[in-house]
Structure formats: C-alpha cells, structure tokens
Amino acid sequence: MAVPKPCRGQGGGLAGGSAAPSNSCSSSAASPTTTSTSITDTVNGSHHFTINGYSLSKGMGVGKYIASETFVVGGYEWAIYFYPDGKSAEDNSLYVSLFIALASEGTDVRALFELTLLDQSGKGKHKTHTHFDRTLESGPYTLKYRGSMWGYKRFFRRAVLEQSDYIKDDCLSINCTVGVVGSRTEGPKIYMIPVTESNLGEDFGEFLDSGKGADVTFDVDGEIFRAHKLVLAARSPVFKAQLFGPMKDLNTTEIKVEDMEAPVFKAMLHFIYRDVLPDMHELIGSTSPMASTSMTQHLLAAADRYGLDRLRLLSEAKLCAEINIDTVATTLALAEQHQCFQLKLVCLKFAASHLKAVMHTEGFDYLKESCPSVLSELLESLARIEKDSGMVTRYRYEGLDGSDVNGRRVRQRT
C-alpha cells in the first residue's frame, strides 16, 4: 500500500523558515448540498345535510339543535349543528344558528370551514360563509377540544329565511366543507426500486382451484370440495384442532360438514386461500342485493364457527355498507347471536332511525322471535336519537314490545 507523502508548502520544503501553510491538504471531495421542504396544506372533505320538516322543528327551544350524521375529514369526525330557534337566548329566536363542530377527540385542530345554505330555486344564489380562497389575518381557525364549534349565532334572520328560496317543500339543504390543516417535510428521494404487489393469494388460490396436492375432502350438502390440511390448519384454529389436534377426527381425509350450504363453504375456502372476499354476485349467480346480503350473513356465521376473525370483520364491514330497511332486522339478530358489537350498534342506530318502516318487514318478526332482548335496546337507541336531536317523536310502539313511548303497557284492541 502506498504511503501518502507529507504535505509541503509552496516554498518547496521547510527552508525559508516561516512560509505560510498551504491548503493543498484540504479534502478534494466537497460536502454534498441537501435540501428539504416543509409543506403545509389542507385535507378537504364535504358533507351535505338535508333537513326535512323544517316547520316542525320550530319551537324546540333556544339552544336546542338538529345534528347531522358525523363525517370524517383529515382523520377527525365532524358534525353540523342547526339551531331552529337560535343558540342564544338574547336573540329571542329571531335568528337561526348554524355551526360545524369537532365530534371526535382532538387538541388544537386547525381547519378552514365553509358553510353554505343552498338556494333551491335553481338561480344559484347560495348563502355562503367561507375561509377558503381568501387571506385570513389570524390564520386557520383552531378547535381546542372535542365539541369545539365554529359558525354563526345569527346565521340568518328566521322571518326572512322562511320567505326565501332557501326553503322548498319544507326542506333546507346545507353544504359544509372542512379543510384540516397539516404540515409535512419532504426530502430528496435518492433512489427508488419498484416492488410488485404480493401474489400470495393468487398462488394459493391456484392450488385450491386445481386440487393439486389436496389431502382432505369435504362433503357439504352433497357437494365435494378438495383442500389442503396445512393451509386450513394455518388459517383456522378450528381446522387445526380438527385435523392435527389431540382430539382430531378419526377420519381426517373425508369430512362431512353439517348445517352449512355449499356456496357458503365455497366462499369460506376462497377467503382461506386468497385472504379476500369472493364476488358474491358471481358466486350466487344473481345480482340481487338481498341475495348478496344473505350470503354475507351466512359467511359471517361460518367465520365465527371456524375462528376466522378477519373474515368475520370483512363480513361485518360489508353488511354495514349494505344495510337497508329490508335487511337491518335480520342483520341485527345475526350481530346479537354472534356478538358482533360494532355491527350491532350500527344496526340499532339505523333501525331506530327508520323504525316504522323496519317494523313492517319480515325480518322484524324474526328479530322479535329470535332476539326479544334486543327490542329494549332498540327503544333505548331511539330515545338517544330523540334526545340528541332535542325532539320527541310520539309514535305508537304496540307492535314492538307492548308498551307506549313512556314505557306504559298498552292494551291491544280487539
């Protein structure tokens, strides 16, 4: 290895005594210049809130409100609050009030807002208050904690509103846009190697479809399915115990499955091998939403039976997305029977919000017979909705549990 020579001054050595030192020994490699950029922008989202029966909401009282469903923007939940008689007693109900509120936990959430009362005449003369597209002297609005609000106590004089084109067929329409402010720092990307998506599910799915290496068969309602013990045991604790546990079945090559339809078992195998839900419409050969929901309900029960927690959650999420008046009662019964607490809460809230219509469905009769204890929870959910809206709706509930809205027993007419 060559030894570097000692550095000498420009005078050619040490002679001459006091020659100034040279900088020729400095590193020839300059330090690279790096950069980064701080970017502050907004994550925007909008919600449309319709108030039907505006005239019936009057007289609720000052400070009483009608609230929209919560919606998510920028990782936070928000809700619109409309006060038909105003928010402040000092205004003597001369104005309606309109606010947007932070509905989830948060501290010092900075955001821009826009509240728009829609002109329903088609002339486009909307009433809008906005932070967007203009300079704010003090910057975005800061909400300190859950329940913090931004809006207007005197959003619109009530007498003028009721004579305007903002009300049509006793209906008000409100748009709200929220822009949550966030900052991030970006630096240079020196290199990037693209990575393909995982095809693990496709690879295992090919083994299921081809039957190669299959070492167990299932007889489900007369239809035969071939599968692989190791795959089943790896995915399901129930199959693991059944095929390899100390109490395993005597015959682990041919197993008969009771109390399950063949399409449901096929859908469950699809998930076990591919880790995704199958196309329900393709599986059942029908485009009927009711048929798809029914299949998903059976699949959730199968997931619970075989300990497939992810399949259970996927089924819950799909049922939640497909909830409607015709299916909510049977889905609520299913959620109660299989202890799906999140799905149960969604069903209770939806059923309570559409109770009169739900009570006329066949599924409601099944709910009453199979899960009578849920009816009291349904009434409690209805009471919470009425309390939150500041309104009391006096329906008759003789068909629900034999009592009226105040809990008194009702004698049935003959």
Side-chain angles (χ1 to χ4, degrees):
M1 178 180 295
V3 179
K5 295 180 179 180
C7 193
R8 297 182 181 274
Q10 293 179 348
L14 300 179
S18 60
S22 168
N23 61 359
S24 61
C25 284
S26 302
S27 172
S28 60
S31 299
T33 300
T34 59
T35 63
S36 62
T37 304
S38 174
I39 300 174
T40 300
D41 53 15
T42 61
V43 177
N44 299 340
S46 298
H47 184 77
H48 184 79
F49 182 34
T50 300
I51 300 172
N52 288 319
Y54 163 79
S55 61
L56 298 176
S57 69
K58 294 191 300 181
M60 290 172 59
V62 174
K64 299 294 182 65
Y65 58 82
I66 299 171
S68 71
E69 287 283 350
T70 58
F71 56 98
V72 178
V73 180
Y76 298 95
E77 292 185 351
W78 308 87
I80 302 169
Y81 286 75
F82 178 75
Y83 297 78
D85 294 323
K87 196 172 187 292
S88 298
E90 62 191 31
D91 290 327
N92 297 317
S93 299
L94 293 177
Y95 295 87
V96 297
S97 303
L98 185 62
F99 285 83
I100 177 70
L102 179 63
S104 61
E105 296 300 331
T107 303
D108 293 336
V109 180
R110 302 175 70 233
L112 305 178
F113 302 105
E114 180 176 280
L115 290 171
T116 301
L117 189 59
L118 298 180
D119 176 10
Q120 301 189 70
S121 68
K123 300 175 182 177
K125 296 181 179 180
H126 312 304
K127 180 177 177 61
T128 300
H129 293 278
T130 183
H131 288 156
F132 293 90
D133 299 326
R134 64 187 179 94
T135 301
L136 301 175
E137 293 182 1
S138 57
Y141 192 82
T142 301
L143 293 97
K144 296 291 185 180
Y145 46 79
R146 180 179 183 177
S148 297
M149 291 183 169
W150 175 87
Y152 296 88
K153 293 181 180 179
R154 297 181 177 182
F155 185 76
F156 213 114
R157 184 175 285 272
R158 195 165 75 167
V160 177
L161 173 65
E162 292 171 1
Q163 299 298 320
S164 72
D165 290 326
Y166 299 112
I167 296 180
K168 182 178 180 181
D169 298 328
D170 206 23
C171 169
L172 278 176
S173 289
I174 299 167
N175 267 344
C176 173
T177 299
V178 179
V180 178
V181 178
S183 297
R184 67 186 187 278
T185 300
E186 294 184 353
K189 295 181 179 179
I190 301 174
Y191 60 82
M192 182 179 67
I193 299 175
V195 179
T196 60
E197 294 291 331
S198 170
N199 57 357
L200 183 65
E202 296 177 7
D203 292 341
F204 274 90
E206 288 181 5
F207 274 95
L208 174 65
D209 295 339
S210 67
K212 291 180 180 179
D215 53 2
V216 61
T217 60
F218 294 90
D219 182 347
V220 187
D221 199 21
E223 189 170 341
I224 303 300
F225 296 92
R226 302 169 65 196
H228 306 77
K229 293 180 183 179
L230 282 176
V231 176
L232 300 178
R235 299 285 279 158
S236 162
V238 177
F239 276 129
K240 184 177 182 179
Q242 185 179 20
L243 297 172
F244 296 104
M247 302 297 291
K248 68 179 181 179
D249 293 352
L250 295 177
N251 185 356
T252 59
T253 57
E254 298 178 4
I255 299 174
K256 187 173 181 60
V257 178
E258 305 287 351
D259 301 323
M260 185 178 295
E261 296 178 357
V264 178
F265 192 82
K266 182 178 182 180
M268 185 178 73
L269 284 181
H270 181 101
F271 168 79
I272 287 176
Y273 279 78
R274 293 180 170 87
D275 202 41
V276 294
L277 288 176
D279 185 318
M280 296 299 183
H281 297 299
E282 181 179 334
L283 181 69
I284 62 181
S286 170
T287 58
S288 167
M290 286 284 289
S292 173
T293 296
S294 177
M295 171 59 73
T296 307
Q297 290 173 339
H298 284 89
L299 193 55
L300 188 151
D304 191 36
R305 174 175 172 177
Y306 285 97
L308 299 165
D309 293 338
R310 174 170 158 78
L311 177 58
R312 173 178 159 134
L313 281 174
L314 287 172
S315 300
E316 284 189 64
K318 186 171 175 61
L319 289 172
C320 180
E322 295 177 350
I323 196 169
N324 59 49
I325 289 172
D326 293 321
T327 63
V328 65
T330 53
T331 299
L332 177 55
L334 181 76
E336 172 70 7
Q337 292 161 357
H338 293 276
Q339 298 183 332
C340 303
F341 301 114
Q342 295 182 83
L343 181 60
K344 178 180 176 180
L345 288 174
V346 172
C347 289
L348 283 171
K349 188 171 183 179
F350 183 92
S353 300
H354 306 82
L355 187 55
K356 295 184 89 173
V358 172
M359 288 173 63
H360 288 89
T361 63
E362 294 181 3
F364 189 77
D365 295 332
Y366 171 77
L367 177 66
K368 290 194 296 184
E369 294 175 4
S370 61
C371 304
S373 63
V374 174
L375 300 182
S376 60
E377 296 181 68
L378 186 55
L379 284 175
E380 291 173 3
S381 183
L382 177 65
R384 283 195 295 270
I385 291 174
E386 293 176 343
K387 181 180 179 180
D388 289 343
S389 67
M391 302 174 65
V392 177
T393 307
R394 297 190 175 275
Y395 295 129
R396 293 174 65 86
Y397 298 116
E398 291 89 335
L400 187 57
D401 67 346
S403 64
D404 65 8
V405 71
N406 296 311
R408 298 187 293 266
R409 302 301 297 178
V410 177
R411 180 177 296 175
Q412 301 292 327
R413 295 184 179 180
T414 56

